[in-house]
DNA sequence: CGTGTACTTTACCAACTGGTTGATTAACCA
DNA sequence: TGGTTAATCAACCAGTTGGTAAAGTACACG
């Protein structure tokens, strides 16, 4: 395996980041690492899962650049690297404005309504919806 | 298939949202929908993929709540619903602070350095970086 | 009616995931 | 040297994913 370090597009990297995050196990590992570095056994402890399974999850997180791994004696300490999350935040941000504009348009619509009929006159309101 | 609409945990829904976003095809569909609603054929047009494949992607996006679908004659118009992205933004935000604290700690470290050697003395600055 | 258009469903496939067990590597300790 | 601990590798398995082709459904139109 030549460990193909080909120049990945930002699309590919976003694919990889989102995929790595699409697992509550992996997100829990990241949450644990957010409190400080940890070895593989420490990371595996909360899960009802064998060590090789955790090892695989860590490899996914590492390939996505979300963690880095060192070597201290026979331990492989893992550290969080939230850098790829910046791209996630950027991507998400572009949709937040769209989301907010919906309410803006609704606000505009409500603002130009003829009369804010008081809630004491429940009749007359068009009940033939749909 | 009883369409199991079981009460999903927020973890499960985040899994589903991240999974739906972990495909550049699906993100491209969302980007297209960000410019306005569209039918399935319109959404499929930019891709070298058969219609059933797009249909499957749309189903993934729909299950994740990222799009809603209507019925107008034989058309099934799709509309973007960025609401689930709020949870993504929230999740990501918790790690942004960690990311920034790194630099804060670096700032603290730099701030407490003995002497901020002025830039007018270009010698003396350690040029033996790797 | 029948025919075309828009889309979904079904059945099938190869590839990938996510887990397992058992063997293996690597470093420390005695 | 040999044993223990930490972690990965290899092989395997069931279930899922992402695509296809072909058939089916739903609606409009002449």
């Amino acid at each position: 395996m030549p460990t193909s370090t080909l120049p990945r597009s930002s699309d590919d990297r976003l694919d990889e980041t989102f995929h790595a995050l699409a697992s509550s196990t992996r997100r829990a590992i990241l949450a644990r690492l957010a409190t400080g570095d940890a070895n593989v056994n420490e990371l595996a402890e909360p899960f009802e899962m064998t060590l090789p399974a955790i090892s695989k999850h860590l490899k996914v997180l590492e390939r996505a650049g979300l963690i880095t791994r060192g070597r201290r004696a026979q331990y492989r300490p893992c550290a969080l690297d939230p850098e790829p999350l910046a791209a996630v935040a950027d991507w998400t941000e572009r949709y937040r404005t769209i989301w907010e504009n919906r309410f803006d348009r609704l606000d505009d619509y409500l603002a130009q309504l003829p009369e804010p009929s008081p809630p004491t006159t429940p009749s007359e309101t068009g009940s033939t919806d749909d």
Side-chain angles (χ1 to χ4, degrees), chain A:
Chain A
M1 221 229 272
T3 327
S4 65
T5 316
L6 293 171
R8 308 186 131 278
S9 74
S10 70
D11 254 8
D12 287 345
R13 264 190 280 108
L14 214 42
D15 281 12
E16 218 165 29
T17 307
F18 275 126
H19 169 70
L21 298 179
S23 150
S24 43
T25 301
R26 287 193 286 264
R27 290 199 307 279
I29 290 175
L30 293 181
R32 164 66 187 79
L33 287 176
T35 73
D37 299 0
N39 303 325
V40 179
N41 272 299
E42 293 169 341
L43 291 175
E45 195 270 329
F47 301 101
E48 292 181 342
M49 217 180 292
T50 57
L51 219 45
I54 298 293
S55 219
K56 283 189 185 182
H57 283 301
L58 293 177
K59 202 177 289 180
V60 172
L61 290 170
E62 188 182 22
R63 286 207 43 160
L66 287 163
I67 67 172
T68 57
R69 322 178 72 175
R71 298 205 145 206
R72 193 186 300 265
Q74 65 266 60
Y75 302 87
R76 309 296 195 278
C78 299
L80 183 68
D81 183 358
E83 190 271 340
L85 296 181
V88 170
D90 284 354
W91 187 90
T92 310
E93 176 65 19
R94 301 216 308 275
Y95 290 86
R96 192 179 62 82
T97 54
I98 293 168
W99 184 233
E100 283 172 353
N101 283 344
R102 283 201 178 189
F103 296 123
D104 287 352
R105 274 191 231 124
L106 181 60
D107 283 348
D108 290 348
Y109 170 72
L110 293 175
Q112 59 92 51
L113 276 184
E115 264 222 17
S117 58
T120 48
T121 55
S123 56
E124 200 80 29
T125 61
S127 59
T128 59
D129 59 22
D130 193 289

